[in-house]
Amino acid sequence: MQLVVGRIGRAHGIKGDVTIEVRTDEPELRLGPGAVLATDPAATGPLTIESGRVHSGRLLLRFAGVHDRTGAEALRNTLLIAEVDPEELPEDPDEFYDHQLMDLDVVTADGTEVGRITEISHLPSQDLFIVERPDGTEVMIPFVEEIVTEIDLEEQRAVITPPPGLIDDQAEIVSSRDADSAQDETA
């Protein structure tokens, strides 16, 4: 099975280094020297990692055969794809691969059906579950500990405790203006 483990960013310097937007929790395993990665677009690869280092908090990689800025710039926005055994699990029991989460049933803590995970969107600040509801509509659920309280792979479900308004129209609207007018009425 193939997993996207990174995206090539801009060139860094003149010797062929590129910045990497890491999309794996195990970069030392997936993005180490000698790793051969498939690419999207496929015509760009496969790419073999020659060397890597961290500079100012960013991962920089150099690929075999890419030894100048022009070659590095040509790789920009290419997705890096690793071949992974589908039975392999992350080391941390609270981490999951996307393929493990796809098609899980999403239910609230009281057992109310919300829908099924159809997509996982990886945003800079957090990941989102795109959940298709039984009526065909979609709802986005942030994959954060406060909302997604349990992932049960054996039962094939994700348990959530959504705040008001996330999956229904019962949002609590509170503003300082409302609080001020409530104080005026009691005075």
Side-chain angles (χ1 to χ4, degrees), residues 59-72:
L59 177 62
L60 301 179
L61 294 180
R62 184 176 302 163
F63 297 100
V66 180
H67 299 289
D68 61 19
R69 187 174 185 87
T70 303

Side-chain angles (χ1 to χ4, degrees), residues 142-163:
F143 187 21
V144 294
E145 199 173 354
E146 296 80 22
I147 296 173
V148 181
T149 57
E150 180 186 354
I151 299 289
D152 186 339
L153 295 178
E154 284 188 24
E155 294 292 324
Q156 286 291 292
R157 67 184 187 142
V159 179
I160 64 169
T161 54

